[in-house]
Amino acid sequence: MSALTARHEYTIKEAAALTGLPASTLRYYESIGVIAPVGRGASSGHRVYDEEDLDQIMWVACLAATGMSVRDMPKYVANGQLGPCAAGEQIELLTAQQQRLEVEAKQLVLRQRYVALKIDYWHAVAAGDDGHVELLLGEARTLADEVKPASKR
Amino acid sequence: MSALTARHEYTIKEAAALTGLPASTLRYYESIGVIAPVGRGASSGHRVYDEEDLDQIMWVACLAATGMSVRDMPKYVANGQLGPCAAGEQIELLTAQQQRLEVEAKQLVLRQRYVALKIDYWHAVAAGDDGHVELLLGEARTLADEVKPASKR
DNA sequence: CTAAGAACTTCAAGTGCTCGAAGTCAGGGC
DNA sequence: GCCCTGACTTCGAGCACTTGAAGTTCTTAG
């Protein structure tokens, strides 16, 4: 298996893009021991992530998203190391993460609408279109009420 | 009329409940000048919020939710009172924000695809479907390759 | 009226990143 | 070869809250 399965390697930037955590956070997590030390390029000293590292990071990202403090994480990461026997738990956490991402996507769309609305609003103000201004202000208030649960993060 | 139209007054706790921001954050925002100084009870020295304060806080909460830094907020909050003269600057700030949100949306979609792939992967692992596992690992690699051009193209 | 307790006050320190500075390293053009 | 660009490295400071301590004030029950 190992000979044919050329393990793909990732730079810190690719790992960041796939897991949704900034590179700085990946280094931070490694520095405080939340994730295991990542392999380094022989000559460069740069971090080299493999699939296993990414799985671990995804796991940590799930824990972080549920509000767990970084001091409590190492224990739970150890559980995640157990491999195939832990597949069920992995799926459970990843599914929860999927739902969070969906919520995040919805909130993002809402924010995009809100910003677009505000741009319209200022265009109307600049044009002196008072009727349109009033209309847009009303819509903005409606949207503002919906954007409440964006206080986390 | 105005005497009877009791302009409702709120404690910091009520203001927090209505705006969705913790009381500590309201004090923090006031301390750094993001919101105007709030009136105080004559004898107690406790903060007393009125409707206008709440509108301003809601507005700031929206800015915070869209990712604006607290340093940029005072200008933006002040501009809200200035009317048409500041429309150009408002539009400029909001358009920049719109572009940030667009980037964020693309990254979010990428993460969603990755998580979905990982769920498939663990299902295949649980089922002992090694061929499928290999296939999905390959797809993860392909997904990672898409990240690279996204940063510079 | 007084005493207990909840809720407010300020100030300081902690948290979880996040950014900037200064230096190292890989790849490409001359 | 040699330099340039750009991505990586560590480290320490900064940011946006957040929490804790210590004290004051409002409220309520006896």
Side-chain angles (χ1 to χ4, degrees), chain A residues 12-23:
Chain A
I12 192 170
K13 222 169 196 175
E14 291 164 347
L18 289 172
T19 61
L21 298 173

Side-chain angles (χ1 to χ4, degrees), chain A residues 21-137:
Chain A
L21 298 173
S24 60
T25 300
L26 297 183
R27 284 190 285 261
Y28 170 65
Y29 280 173
E30 190 180 343
S31 73
I32 62 174
V34 164
I35 59 175
V38 176
R40 300 305 184 103
S43 60
S44 67
H46 294 184
R47 287 172 180 80
V48 177
Y49 295 81
D50 59 22
E51 296 289 348
E52 203 175 330
D53 291 325
L54 291 197
D55 287 344
Q56 198 180 137
I57 292 164
M58 281 305 301
W59 175 277
V60 169
C62 290
L63 296 179
T66 62
M68 177 171 294
S69 81
V70 291
R71 270 183 310 284
D72 295 338
M73 285 183 193
K75 310 179 275 211
Y76 286 85
V77 172
N79 282 346
Q81 298 274 40
L82 296 178
C85 18
E89 206 175 347
Q90 295 277 1
I91 290 169
E92 198 177 320
L93 272 165
L94 284 167
T95 303
Q97 177 72 355
Q98 200 173 35
Q99 287 166 358
R100 276 191 296 271
L101 288 177
E102 216 163 302
V103 170
E104 200 178 322
K106 285 204 175 99
Q107 291 175 347
L108 184 56
V109 169
L110 203 60
R111 279 185 267 161
Q112 286 179 311
R113 277 172 52 206
Y114 183 76
V115 171
L117 199 59
K118 275 296 168 185
I119 291 173
D120 275 358
Y121 165 78
W122 283 107
H123 275 129
V125 168
D129 186 349
D130 291 349
H132 204 194
V133 163
E134 289 303 321
L135 176 65
L136 291 170
L137 267 180

